[in-house]
Amino acid sequence: MSAPGRAYLAWCSDTERERILAFHRRHPPAIPRSLTVMNSELPAILERTRHQGYGARDPQFGGSQKPMSEFDDGLDAIAVPVLQGQRVLACINLVWMRKYRLRSKIVRDHLADLKATAAEIGEAATRAGRQVRPSR
């Protein structure tokens, strides 16, 4: 549901994605929207995320594991992966107040810089010889 979560799942390895999704199948989210995304919409969302080049926050996500009717942080966001080769090290995002309806402007004005920054971080990690080990 979050922009970084969608970016991570879109660019991580198939093995890592399946490990994450298997965990969430064993421990399903309580929010009905999250269940709908997991059970039927996720492949299309991840394909759209890859095509766009960024993850976008679900419009029905309020920033917690509670329904928006119970908690809404009022934010919107986009995110891109930080890659080291084909491996996702992290995701970085831009966040703003949803009420301003700025997503298309943010994408137009700042996505290239966000991607460039993510690429620089990934390249710096590679130059430094740092390898992030997956958690078990």
Side-chain angles (χ1 to χ4, degrees):
M1 300 286 283
S2 72
R6 289 177 172 192
Y8 187 89
L9 287 174
W11 277 279
C12 72
S13 70
D14 293 342
T15 303
E16 176 72 0
R17 184 178 316 103
E18 184 49 41
R19 185 185 68 76
I20 292 166
L21 295 176
F23 173 84
H24 287 290
R25 282 191 290 272
R26 288 189 310 274
H27 308 282
I31 304 173
R33 174 70 185 140
S34 294
L35 286 171
T36 299
V37 167
M38 274 189 57
N39 293 332
S40 62
E41 298 177 20
L42 193 58
I45 288 169
L46 298 181
E47 182 60 33
R48 183 172 55 251
T49 297
R50 290 182 201 103
H51 178 74
Q52 294 175 150
Y54 63 92
R57 190 181 216 202
D58 190 285
Q60 296 178 47
F61 181 55
S64 80
Q65 295 305 311
K66 296 180 180 181
M68 280 182 83
S69 60
E70 293 180 31
F71 180 86
D72 183 6
D73 61 14
L75 301 175
D76 197 0
I78 61 170
V80 298
V82 174
L83 300 172
Q84 185 177 46
Q86 297 297 310
R87 190 156 187 221
V88 179
L89 297 179
C91 292
I92 59 174
N93 65 343
L94 289 175
V95 179
W96 62 92
M97 297 301 297
R98 182 176 55 251
K99 68 182 179 182
Y100 298 118
R101 301 181 189 272
L102 293 173
R103 185 178 292 173
S104 61
K105 182 173 177 28
I106 296 288
V107 168
R108 182 184 69 240
D109 295 349
H110 302 292
L111 180 59
D113 291 332
L114 187 63
K115 286 180 169 183
T117 300
E120 287 181 32
I121 294 168
E123 291 164 8
T126 299
R127 284 193 306 274
R130 295 186 185 126
Q131 292 293 321
V132 177
R133 306 254 185 257
S135 60
R136 295 183 186 225

